[in-house]
């Protein structure tokens, strides 16, 4: 991550999957990708249906997403106090329920270090510790519910690498990334990819950033 030089220079809001190393960058405001959380919660719900809090937490995240989308459709840039209070309380209640259903196991052996929590309790503690980052998307409407768009942008590079095996030169890889980054930016801003490339070749590439 240090060699790539992206996170070391990044100063915005990073929507990430809660990998521990990401939190080592204090200059970044963090948001947790809720799609990753939904996958973990769905796995718990399917494999251990007695964990009632997991399905309730799925419903909470989806309700938060739905309410935000409705507010955006209505031209709003924030949720009402009613919804913030409702979601905040429900979140805390479910964390408390999850902790009751998954107490830290007691061990008679004297071992050094922290007690092993297991995957479920580790997720519960992650949801509790990073609540502000999980819920950031309903407090700041510029923050998406997930980072799926970023993963879609990267998937094309992985596909090309798998098909070709590799890039023949580092220079070729850099050229490819510059072109696809430019075309991707044009597409996101509603410009035709062909027109964007034509303008770039004619010496007027900055039109998409106006």
């Amino acid at each position: 991550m240090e060699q790539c030089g992206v996170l070391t220079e990044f100063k915005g809001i990073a929507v990430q999957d809660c990998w521990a190393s990401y939190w080592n960058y204090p200059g970044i405001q963090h948001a947790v990708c809720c799609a990753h959380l939904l996958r973990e919660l769905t796995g718990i719900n399917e494999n251990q249906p007695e964990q009632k809090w997991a399905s309730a937490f799925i419903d909470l995240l989806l309700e938060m997403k739905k309410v935000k989308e409705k507010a955006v459709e209505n031209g709003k840039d924030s949720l009402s106090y009613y919804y913030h209070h409702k979601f905040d309380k429900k979140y805390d209640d479910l964390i408390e329920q999850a902790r009751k259903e998954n107490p830290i196991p007691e061990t008679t052996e004297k071992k050094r270090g922290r007690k092993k929590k297991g995957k479920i309790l580790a997720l519960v503690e992650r949801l509790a510790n990073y609540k502000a980052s999980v819920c950031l998307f309903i407090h700041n409407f510029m923050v998406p519910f997930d980072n799926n768009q970023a993963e879609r942008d990267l998937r094309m590079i992985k596909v090309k690498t798998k098909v070709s095996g590799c890039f023949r030169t580092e220079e070729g890889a850099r050229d490819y990334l510059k072109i696809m980054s430019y075309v991707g930016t044009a597409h996101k801003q509603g410009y035709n990819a062909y027109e964007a490339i034509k303008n770039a070749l004619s010496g007027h590439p900055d039109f998409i950033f106006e």
Side-chain angles (χ1 to χ4, degrees):
M1 289 190 293
E2 296 293 329
Q3 290 179 345
C4 287
V6 176
L7 291 178
T8 53
E9 301 296 328
F10 187 69
K11 301 300 179 185
I13 301 173
V15 184
Q16 44 108 331
D17 59 3
C18 228
W19 191 32
S21 298
Y22 292 141
W23 303 101
N24 294 329
Y25 295 88
I28 298 174
Q29 186 176 8
H30 297 275
V32 174
C33 172
C34 290
H36 282 82
L37 294 177
L38 287 176
R39 284 197 286 271
E40 289 187 81
L41 290 165
T42 299
I44 294 173
N45 188 45
E46 291 177 349
N47 297 315
Q48 294 172 282
E50 71 277 4
Q51 297 281 335
K52 301 298 182 183
W53 71 273
S55 60
F57 214 102
I58 291 172
D59 294 339
L60 173 62
L61 290 176
L62 294 178
E63 184 183 3
M64 292 163 69
K65 180 176 183 288
K66 182 179 179 180
V67 169
K68 176 191 171 178
E69 290 173 347
K70 189 68 175 178
V72 172
E73 287 177 8
N74 293 333
K76 298 179 180 179
D77 58 7
S78 64
L79 297 184
S80 65
Y81 171 80
Y82 166 79
Y83 280 114
H84 279 304
H85 178 70
K86 174 186 176 181
F87 293 145
D88 186 64
K89 186 176 185 307
K90 185 66 175 177
Y91 195 107
D92 290 343
D93 288 346
L94 287 175
I95 292 296
E96 185 178 353
Q97 178 184 341
R99 282 173 169 161
K100 287 180 179 178
E101 292 182 15
N102 300 276
I104 297 177
E106 296 183 3
T107 55
T108 54
E109 299 178 10
K110 292 183 179 180
K111 292 183 179 180
R112 293 181 178 180
R114 290 177 296 180
K115 293 181 180 179
K116 211 169 186 181
K117 295 179 180 178
K119 290 185 177 180
I120 294 179
L121 192 54
L123 174 59
V124 174
E125 292 305 312
R126 208 183 327 143
L127 290 169
N129 295 335
Y130 299 117
K131 176 184 175 182
S133 296
V134 173
C135 299
L136 188 59
F137 78 98
I138 62 169
H139 293 281
N140 182 346
F141 279 16
M142 295 296 291
V143 177
F145 179 77
D146 54 51
N147 63 3
N148 288 351
Q149 181 59 57
E151 293 191 353
R152 283 193 289 270
D153 291 341
L154 290 171
R155 190 169 296 124
M156 175 177 55
I157 300 170
K158 294 296 292 182
V159 170
K160 180 172 177 59
T161 304
K162 286 181 179 179
V163 172
S164 303
C166 64
F167 288 96
R168 293 187 177 182
T169 64
E170 183 176 341
E171 182 181 3
R174 291 184 181 276
D175 289 342
Y176 174 80
L177 293 174
K178 286 178 182 177
I179 293 170
M180 299 314 299
S181 176
Y182 180 80
V183 171
T185 302
H187 178 72
K188 289 183 179 69
Q189 296 193 15
Y191 291 94
N192 179 272
Y194 172 77
E195 292 295 328
I197 294 173
K198 187 173 72 172
N199 277 273
L201 293 175
S202 64
H204 303 284
D206 294 334
F207 80 105
I208 64 172
F209 302 109
E210 294 176 357

